[in-house]
């Protein structure tokens, strides 16, 4: 199996986890854990797993790169997760999903500014197809309503998309110097430092005795699957793929969420969903297809 194919499968795996997570995390939060308390548990739990795995890989990080990793920890873990959860509490899931379609566009712009990557016709067309597919899924749901009541929440969701876009671009050069586990271990170390003062209070309020076996399984899925494996898969894929390609996979999340809901009997299959999936996969293919080595 080629390295690029493994990278694509890793990113696909991460987005499969994210898509399933929508149906799982909402059963835990906020009924059992408040948002910032959940972020605290996610980051701490994943950090412990990254250190457990990283203990077998001895790789020294140059001191000059620690500042870069600290910045990545801010944008990729703390700001990314806290602004998303805070924004989601002030808007609705449909608005959030629509605004998140801006992420690959923001990544393309930030990549052009910081990494000097070329904005090719393939990337523009691919992102356009991805947006079209995601919007088809999202706009056919009820609950879409931009307005003054959601403006604060919508703004934080947009800042979340921008934050994650900046993270993908800033962390890319570090992947050429270090192993994925080394990078993500340090990113989460700094991310936890930033999250600690915001999440420790809500984390201390968790009533663990109220968790039944089902809630425990869903809680562990969010910690191990959505945080540990999804971040690890993304960072692995980013070592071989461009930030634009990695970000374009976000368009799969509404489709994955829809088909997962169908599989558990919470939704029904329609041709609209199939068309949306075809558009999104076509978009991912175009964005990831290089015209020349300079476009990677």
């Amino acid at each position: 199996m080629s390295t690029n194919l493994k990278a694509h499968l890793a990113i696909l795996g991460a987005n499969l986890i994210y898509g399933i997570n929508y149906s799982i995390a909402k059963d835990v939060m906020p009924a059992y854990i408040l948002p910032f308390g959940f972020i605290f548990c996610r980051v701490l739990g994943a950090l412990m797993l990254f250190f457990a795995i990283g203990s077998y890989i001895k790789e020294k990080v140059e001191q000059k790169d620690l500042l870069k990793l600290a910045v990545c920890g801010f944008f990729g873990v703390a700001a990314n997760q806290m602004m998303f959860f805070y924004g989601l509490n002030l808007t609705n899931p449909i608005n959030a999903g629509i605004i998140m379609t801006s992420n690959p566009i923001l990544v393309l712009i930030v990549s052009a500014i910081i990494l000097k990557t070329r904005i090719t016709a393939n990337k523009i067309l691919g992102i356009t197809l991805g947006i079209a597919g995601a919007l088809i899924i999202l706009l056919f749901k009820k609950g879409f309503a931009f307005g003054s009541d959601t403006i604060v929440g919508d703004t934080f969701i947009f800042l979340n998309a921008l934050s994650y876009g900046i993270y993908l671009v800033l962390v890319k050069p570090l992947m050429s110097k270090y192993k994925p586990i080394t990078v993500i271990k340090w990113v989460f170390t700094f991310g936890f430092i930033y999250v600690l003062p915001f999440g420790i209070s809500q984390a201390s309020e968790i009533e663990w005795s109220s968790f039944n076996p089902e809630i425990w399984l869903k809680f562990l899925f969010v910690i191990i699957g959505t945080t540990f494996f999804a971040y690890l898969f993304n960072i692995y894929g980013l070592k071989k793929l461009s930030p634009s390609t990695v970000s374009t996979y976000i368009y799969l999340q509404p489709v994955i969420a829809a088909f997962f809901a169908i599989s558990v009997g919470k939704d029904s299959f329609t041709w609209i969903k199939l068309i949306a999936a075809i558009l999104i996969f076509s978009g991912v293919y175009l964005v990831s297809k290089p015209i020349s080595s300079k476009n990677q």
Side-chain angles (χ1 to χ4, degrees):
M1 186 183 293
S2 71
T3 305
N4 272 7
L5 179 57
K6 289 179 182 177
H8 279 287
L9 290 175
I11 302 301
L12 177 61
N15 283 276
L16 279 168
I17 293 170
Y18 286 138
I20 294 171
N21 184 63
Y22 286 107
S23 296
I24 292 178
K26 68 179 182 181
D27 292 335
V28 182
M29 180 193 70
Y32 293 87
I33 306 177
L34 293 173
F36 283 5
F38 208 176
I39 293 171
F40 176 90
C41 293
R42 288 182 61 179
V43 177
L44 177 59
L47 177 61
M48 293 169 65
L49 291 171
F50 287 132
F51 261 92
I53 301 298
S55 64
Y56 295 97
I57 301 172
K58 305 298 182 181
E59 188 175 30
K60 188 176 180 180
V61 174
E62 293 181 22
Q63 193 166 0
K64 66 178 182 179
D65 289 330
L66 288 176
L67 178 59
K68 297 176 184 177
L69 289 163
V71 175
C72 289
F74 174 77
F75 284 111
V77 177
N80 166 42
Q81 293 194 29
M82 288 193 293
M83 286 193 290
F84 180 79
F85 279 108
Y86 183 76
L88 194 60
N89 279 340
L90 299 175
T91 186
N92 58 68
I94 305 301
N95 283 31
I98 291 171
I99 294 167
M100 285 302 293
T101 63
S102 66
N103 177 258
I105 301 170
L106 295 170
V107 169
L108 199 62
I109 294 170
V110 175
S111 289
I113 294 171
I114 297 177
L115 302 181
K116 309 301 180 184
T117 55
R118 291 174 55 191
I119 300 178
T120 65
N122 267 3
K123 291 183 186 297
I124 294 172
L125 178 58
I127 287 174
T128 302
L129 289 175
I131 290 174
L135 290 182
I136 285 174
I137 291 286
L138 294 167
L139 293 176
F140 271 82
K141 293 182 178 180
K142 296 179 180 179
F144 164 63
F146 285 119
S148 58
D149 292 341
T150 64
I151 185 65
V152 174
D154 295 339
T155 300
F156 272 94
I157 295 296
F158 177 78
L159 291 174
N160 153 254
L162 177 60
S163 176
Y164 193 67
I166 293 172
Y167 159 72
L168 287 177
V169 174
L170 292 180
V171 81
K172 173 66 177 176
L174 293 168
M175 299 309 301
S176 63
K177 295 182 64 174
Y178 305 108
K179 292 180 173 64
I181 191 67
T182 301
V183 173
I184 201 65
K185 179 178 70 174
W186 279 102
V187 167
F188 265 74
T189 296
F190 287 111
F192 179 71
I193 293 171
Y194 304 137
V195 166
L196 181 62
F198 296 94
I200 186 66
S201 176
Q202 290 187 2
S204 66
E205 296 172 3
I206 300 172
E207 295 184 7
W208 300 102
S209 60
S210 67
F211 285 29
N212 59 43
E214 181 183 356
I215 295 301
W216 270 114
L217 285 174
K218 290 179 177 179
F219 172 78
L220 291 174
F221 175 86
V222 174
I223 304 297
I224 300 171
T226 310
T227 315
F228 174 72
F229 278 113
Y231 268 88
L232 188 60
F233 288 167
N234 266 331
I235 206 77
Y236 174 81
L238 195 59
K239 191 171 182 70
K240 296 297 179 182
L241 305 174
S242 71
S244 295
T245 300
V246 172
S247 66
T248 305
Y249 271 89
I250 196 174
Y251 296 137
L252 288 173
Q253 292 181 28
V255 176
I256 293 167
F259 280 95
F260 179 74
I262 291 169
S263 70
V264 296
K266 294 182 179 179
D267 201 350
S268 58
F269 173 81
T270 65
W271 288 105
I272 291 293
K273 294 183 178 69
L274 179 60
I275 292 169
I278 292 171
L279 285 171
I280 290 168
F281 276 108
S282 300
V284 169
Y285 170 76
L286 286 171
V287 172
S288 62
K289 181 182 178 182
I291 293 177
S292 70
S293 59
K294 292 181 180 181
N295 295 330
Q296 287 292 334

